[in-house]
Amino acid sequence: MWRLLFRGMKRFHRRSTGPCIVMATISTSRLILALQSGEIVPYFQPQIELKTGSLSGFEVLARWLHPELGILLPAEFIPLAQGANLLPDVTHEVLGQATVAIAAFCPMPLRLSINISADELLDPELCERLSLIAECSGFPISCLTLELTESTRIENTALARATVHRIRRSGFRLSLDDFGKGYAGLQHLHEIPFDELKIDMRFVQCISEYQRSEDFIAGVIALGEALGIHTVAEGIETHIQANLLTSLQCELGQGFLFGAPVPASSIPALMMERTARKENVIYCANAGQ
Ligand code: C2E
Ligand code: MG
Ligand code: MG
Ligand code: MG
């Protein structure tokens, strides 16, 4: 209750000032309008190769640029989209805009990771739809990684499993997001040929405080190595965390230390800054699969 009230107050302060307070709400019909009018957009968070500091790609994160409520986070509208069967439309918008932006702002494709919800795996046409969106932007499928969260109910349905395998056969990369947060991560890693696992930020953020967290992460990285898959640490906020992860041979990192998610319009400046600081960019064509 208090959280809701506090959020409401924050939103009120973000709203344009005026004598008349309009109670803006989010609803299915408002979300449909948002999708049609381009208010649902991708933000881009850099992923960094820890050993070299090179930019290795971006995770694409959905934002709703609401004219009255400000920038809404996925937690505030993805459940609504899910309930209204609008997730495919959100994915379409976010992936379509993201691939077009990268094609426009980068000389060659960079790796992009997008988040897919459990429900989307039950759509037998998911793979074809995603392929078509990428093709329309001229973006190579092999440069796209689909992130499934550990809580995704893959193991229970034959349909979801079939979709996962089709996705992989089509050439997309697969990532297991938020590894360690739920209970099914090991089972998923065992059963599905993931290309990457992302260590949940709750472990990353404790790494410099608790030896147990460091040992846990070392174990996860060793597991990734044994399976021949890439490891990414998410939620890196301090140099101490980054240095510890680098010394543990974690390959990639992501977090506010390297950059918060930014809109597409910030990508040219971000790329220019990297060039000025002589920081390398790993384009997808040059990256290992
Ligand atoms: P995720 O995929 O695990 O994404 C990481 C979240 O952590 C993002 O929150 C990101 O902004 C935030 N983050 C990044 N670096 C840091 C850091 O250093 N510290 C902290 N405290 N947080 C950090 P965001 O954007 O609010 O997204 C939340 C979740 O919503 C995502 O978790 C993902 O599961 C889901 N999501 C985001 N975009 C989409 C989408 O287009 N479709 C679907 N189905 N889900 C999405
Ligand atoms: Mg993710
Ligand atoms: Mg995550
Ligand atoms: Mg998460």
Side-chain angles (χ1 to χ4, degrees):
M1 176 66 200
W2 284 109
R3 243 187 94 236
L4 283 179
L5 200 62
F6 180 63
R7 214 163 67 186
M9 280 164 61
K10 277 207 304 202
R11 284 194 187 154
F12 171 73
H13 288 296
R14 274 192 265 162
R15 256 184 253 151
S16 55
T17 49
C20 168
I21 299 168
V22 182
M23 286 301 286
T25 52
I26 61 171
S27 60
T28 303
S29 55
R30 186 62 190 81
L31 179 57
I32 292 171
L33 189 66
L35 284 159
Q36 289 165 347
S37 58
E39 289 172 16
I40 305 295
V41 300
Y43 267 44
F44 298 80
Q45 185 174 38
Q47 293 189 324
I48 302 295
E49 190 179 63
L50 288 172
K51 203 166 53 182
T52 60
S54 304
L55 176 71
S56 77
F58 292 104
E59 178 172 3
V60 176
L61 297 153
R63 296 289 183 265
W64 181 347
L65 307 181
H66 195 293
E68 283 117 30
L69 301 176
I71 302 174
L72 302 184
L73 295 173
E76 297 175 274
F77 65 90
I78 291 289
L80 174 69
Q82 195 151 356
N85 209 11
L86 289 170
L87 268 182
D89 303 80
V90 172
T91 304
H92 192 133
E93 273 305 303
V94 168
L95 178 60
Q97 291 182 43
T99 46
V100 165
I102 292 298
F105 296 139
C106 302
M108 281 190 278
L110 271 157
R111 279 208 189 292
L112 285 182
S113 297
I114 66 155
N115 294 280
I116 297 292
S117 296
D119 287 7
E120 289 182 271
L121 292 179
L122 300 176
D123 171 3
E125 275 157 25
L126 175 74
C127 188
E128 286 69 27
R129 276 196 300 107
L130 297 179
S131 305
L132 200 62
I133 298 167
E135 264 168 39
C136 283
S137 331
F139 194 87
I141 286 175
S142 59
C143 300
L144 275 175
T145 302
L146 309 187
E147 295 191 3
L148 309 176
T149 57
E150 202 190 72
S151 58
T152 307
R153 298 174 301 277
I154 308 166
E155 75 281 9
N156 290 336
T157 72
L159 190 55
R161 260 169 193 271
T163 306
V164 162
H165 287 284
R166 198 156 60 245
I167 281 171
R168 191 107 191 315
R169 276 201 309 274
S170 304
F172 293 98
R173 293 169 86 246
L174 268 186
S175 174
L176 182 56
D177 203 354
D178 302 338
F179 183 77
K181 190 174 169 186
Y183 299 103
L186 281 176
Q187 191 183 345
H188 287 168
L189 261 191
H190 184 232
E191 292 178 357
I192 293 160
F194 282 100
D195 301 277
E196 171 186 286
L197 72 82
K198 297 185 80 170
I199 307 166
D200 191 66
M201 68 174 78
R202 73 177 62 188
F203 303 108
V204 172
Q205 294 182 343
C206 296
I207 191 172
S208 53
E209 285 163 52
Y210 303 107
Q211 185 60 41
R212 276 178 71 80
S213 300
E214 189 179 329
D215 295 343
F216 176 86
I217 289 182
V220 172
I221 293 167
L223 178 62
E225 257 170 36
L227 294 172
I229 66 179
H230 303 275
T231 43
V232 186
E234 58 181 356
I236 301 176
E237 294 183 355
T238 68
H239 286 289
I240 298 175
Q241 291 163 358
N243 292 341
L244 269 169
L245 287 156
T246 311
S247 69
L248 293 174
Q249 313 291 329
C250 181
E251 246 180 297
L252 300 176
Q254 194 183 332
F256 296 159
L257 176 68
F258 305 113
V262 293
S265 58
S266 300
I267 292 180
L270 189 149
M271 301 296 281
M272 258 157 38
E273 259 173 50
R274 293 196 70 84
T275 311
R277 285 197 251 119
K278 299 201 172 12
E279 289 164 335
N280 198 20
V281 177
I282 304 169
Y283 290 101
C284 178
N286 306 329
Q289 296 297 303

